[in-house]
Amino acid sequence: MKVLIPILSKKENDEKFIDAAVIGAKEITLLVVVDTSLTSGGYGFASSEISQGNALMNDIRAMVGKKKKTCDDVLEWGETITKIDHIARLREVDKVVLQKQDNKFYSDLIETLKKNQVRVEEIG
């Protein structure tokens, strides 16, 4: 099973989240989207936060590696929801695993992915 884990909440490096996210997965893709249209609001990454995104990807990649799973990472520039949708379809992932959040951007993301028939699993 192929899994895409977009790093949005900046809390995806939680051990419990990773344990649940990689169950049954053979390939994991981590995604950080640098969205220059975002202001700081706890969703996604602004261009000034690229190093934080890379650090989170490194932490998560190490956690996934301990579980003997293949892990790839992608850093994309653009609109967050669109990039997640496109990467999910391009990589032909079986599901997108998200750290559950309570904000409008997250709700819009879930709605868009489901509308485009992308399987979503929310954890948390």
Side-chain angles (χ1 to χ4, degrees):
M1 176 187 314
K2 295 179 182 179
V3 174
L4 174 64
I5 302 175
I7 301 173
L8 301 172
S9 70
K10 303 174 184 136
K11 298 176 185 171
E12 285 83 5
N13 60 343
D14 177 73
E15 192 76 41
K16 290 179 184 177
F17 172 80
I18 296 300
D19 287 345
V22 302
I23 291 174
K26 294 203 187 261
E27 295 178 30
I28 296 103
T29 301
L30 305 175
L31 173 64
V32 168
V33 178
V34 179
D35 191 338
T36 56
S37 69
L38 293 176
T39 58
S40 65
Y43 184 83
F45 290 84
S47 56
S48 62
E49 300 174 308
I50 294 172
S51 63
Q52 183 185 9
N54 281 326
L56 280 168
M57 277 199 299
N58 289 335
D59 287 349
I60 296 167
R61 193 173 36 252
M63 296 166 113
V64 170
K66 290 178 186 175
K67 299 177 185 325
K68 309 279 191 240
K69 308 270 184 183
T70 301
C71 186
D72 189 19
D73 59 75
V74 178
L75 178 82
E76 285 282 328
W77 288 73
E79 197 272 324
T80 302
I81 294 174
T82 303
K83 287 296 181 178
I84 292 170
D85 181 42
H86 290 171
I87 294 295
R89 290 192 275 145
L90 284 169
R91 296 272 176 134
E92 298 178 338
V93 300
D94 297 296
K95 67 181 175 180
V96 176
V97 180
L98 299 166
Q99 175 73 44
K100 194 169 187 172
Q101 297 181 57
D102 186 24
N103 60 54
K104 181 175 177 4
F105 293 109
Y106 183 79
S107 300
D108 291 347
L109 171 62
I110 296 295
E111 182 180 321
T112 300
L113 292 177
K114 288 183 177 179
K115 181 177 72 176
N116 292 336
Q117 300 179 341
V118 175
R119 184 174 159 211
V120 175
E121 180 180 330
E122 299 176 80
I123 300 173

